[in-house]
Amino acid sequence: MHIALDYAGLRVIWWALMGVLLIGFALTDGWDLGIGTLLPFVARTDTERRMAINCAGPTWEGNQVWFVLGGGAIFAAWPLVYAVSFSGFYLAMFLVLAALILRPVGFKYRSKRPDPVWRSAWDWALFVGGVVPSLVFGVAVGNVLQGLPFHFDSDLRVLYDGSFLGLFTPFTLLCGVLSVSMMALHGSAYLTVKLEHGPVHDRARTIGTGAAALCMLLFVIGGMVALWGPLGYDITGPVVTDGASNPLRLTAIPSSGAWTRNFIMHPWMYAAPVLGVGGAASALVGMWLRQEIMTLAGSSAATVGIVSTVGLSMFPFILPSSTDIHSSLTVWNASSSRSTLLTMLVATLVFLPIILLYTSWVYRVLWGRVTVASMASNPDLY
């Protein structure tokens, strides 16, 4: 497929780049969140907990770069999306940030004192810093799929009509639990690769088996809801792909099953949900066979497939409105100017490869299994 660098082409490129950044965050920081979520369950002694923590310890700070890049890209490339999402998800974002703050503090402070109560408190802080963002991110995606209650006035001021508790519905909670199970699977897969064989390794494999099965089940149920449930929106009026961003010109209607239509029109898109289910199944088999690389590759494929499925199913919608469909944000009506997108693209083409190379180098240098012996002999470990 040829994509030109005209305004429409740049919008598609930045829609794809936004997906790449979100996938990068889910892949790298995903196993950090997963390890935090699993910490109370895979490790029982202080040494075991230190082993699990130090699997993520050397790289968690660098992994958060993807989160910052994703937020920055949304702010610069999709300012209307940024405005609406931070209005509608304000309390949810605050909850996520508060939980994420616990993680660096927990890493740095946990081993400062030998007091078991002190360390246990920070272990639970790390658990909260893992499970809360995982859950809220999934709930947020569920709300995006079903539409957010917002609208624009004639001056393009965004008005949010919902509430914090309104974000939690059966479907969005399903998406939230799916997100937690996906991160738990990814975290357990990473633990099996990074830990020496022993009790923590075995518990991670056991829990990962359940997480893989739950991830597959919830992803399939979510797909069935998208296929037969009251989800989806269709654009009914003319589409201007290269005009100035103005959501008030959109003409659309709610349409059950619309989120599956792209897959029918473009069969190659089926690769995403197949990768989501197949990756989780591969991780499950890898757990059973004790094939650690296969397990991590499967959990990574499942993460890529699940995140990609959401983006591909909704295109060209980014944030549909459930209360005023004409205020919905799409790839064609919510972006920055052409010059801004082009300038940012040039900067991305320069700096993103540097980030990828540096990240690869860091993982290569810091690779190796965490062992019981290293906990006693290496003073640099948490």
Side-chain angles (χ1 to χ4, degrees):
M1 180 176 62
H2 176 71
I3 299 177
L5 290 181
D6 57 11
Y7 200 5
L10 285 169
R11 283 168 160 163
V12 174
I13 289 171
W14 270 102
W15 168 81
L17 281 174
M18 184 169 62
V20 169
L21 294 174
L22 292 176
I23 289 172
F25 169 71
L27 282 176
T28 56
D29 210 35
W31 52 53
D32 297 339
L33 296 174
I35 290 172
T37 301
L38 297 174
L39 186 60
F41 310 105
V42 299
R44 296 175 182 172
T45 67
D46 182 67
T47 299
E48 290 180 351
R49 288 174 183 150
R50 289 185 63 211
M51 290 176 66
I53 289 170
N54 280 283
C55 289
T59 54
W60 68 267
E61 291 174 290
N63 292 340
Q64 290 193 131
V65 168
W66 294 100
F67 184 64
V68 177
L69 286 176
I74 294 174
F75 173 77
W78 309 98
L80 292 175
V81 175
Y82 183 89
V84 172
S85 59
F86 273 76
S87 296
F89 297 135
Y90 184 82
L91 289 178
M93 291 288 188
F94 181 84
L95 185 63
V96 167
L97 291 176
L100 289 177
I101 288 171
L102 290 175
R103 186 167 57 168
V105 179
F107 277 126
K108 299 298 184 181
Y109 282 15
R110 182 194 181 276
S111 296
K112 296 296 184 182
R113 295 176 59 186
D115 182 6
V117 176
W118 170 271
R119 293 191 172 189
S120 177
W122 287 116
D123 289 338
W124 283 106
L126 289 171
F127 168 74
V128 171
V131 72
V132 169
S134 302
L135 178 66
V136 174
F137 286 144
V139 168
V141 171
N143 277 276
V144 170
L145 285 167
Q146 69 180 17
L148 287 173
F150 72 92
H151 69 277
F152 292 97
D153 64 13
S154 58
D155 295 321
L156 281 184
R157 290 177 299 186
V158 60
L159 301 171
Y160 185 74
D161 306 314
S163 65
F164 175 71
L165 293 179
L167 297 174
F168 299 93
T169 68
F171 176 72
T172 63
L173 287 173
L174 181 148
C175 293
V177 177
L178 169 59
S179 176
V180 172
S181 66
M182 182 179 75
M183 297 301 186
L185 167 61
H186 203 40
S188 63
Y190 192 64
L191 285 175
T192 62
V193 171
K194 287 289 291 179
L195 286 171
E196 70 173 350
H197 289 269
V200 186
H201 183 283
D202 293 339
R203 293 186 203 113
R205 188 173 62 84
T206 300
I207 295 174
T209 301
L214 182 61
C215 184
M216 276 192 297
L217 176 63
L218 294 179
F219 186 47
V220 171
I221 293 174
M224 294 170 64
V225 172
L227 181 61
W228 292 303
L231 294 178
Y233 299 87
D234 270 330
I235 296 176
T236 57
V239 177
V240 179
T241 61
D242 57 355
S245 293
N246 184 356
L248 299 182
R249 289 198 296 238
L250 179 70
T251 305
I253 59 171
S255 178
S256 297
W259 291 157
T260 63
R261 205 155 295 147
N262 280 343
F263 298 101
I264 298 173
M265 295 172 58
H266 308 285
W268 63 268
M269 290 185 179
Y270 278 112
V274 169
L275 193 64
V277 175
S282 177
L284 180 62
V285 173
M287 295 281 186
W288 285 339
L289 299 178
R290 300 177 183 269
Q291 297 295 317
E292 294 150 2
I293 299 301
M294 177 183 178
T295 300
L296 184 60
S299 71
S300 300
T303 301
V304 173
I306 291 171
V307 176
S308 299
T309 297
V310 175
L312 291 173
S313 66
M314 293 183 62
F315 185 87
F317 285 92
I318 301 178
L319 275 180
S321 171
S322 60
T323 53
D324 179 17
I325 186 61
H326 306 298
S327 293
S328 295
L329 300 179
T330 72
V331 172
W332 315 124
N333 70 5
S335 74
S336 295
S337 65
R338 180 184 182 276
S339 60
T340 299
L341 296 181
L342 183 59
T343 301
M344 289 173 54
L345 180 61
V346 173
T348 300
L349 292 176
V350 172
F351 291 106
L352 186 58
I354 296 174
I355 294 172
L356 291 171
L357 287 172
Y358 176 74
T359 302
S360 301
W361 176 79
V362 168
Y363 272 95
R364 181 178 180 275
V365 170
L366 298 177
W367 196 252
R369 292 187 184 270
V370 178
T371 65
V372 174
S374 66
M375 293 297 99
S377 62
N378 191 342
D380 296 324
L381 296 181
Y382 290 120

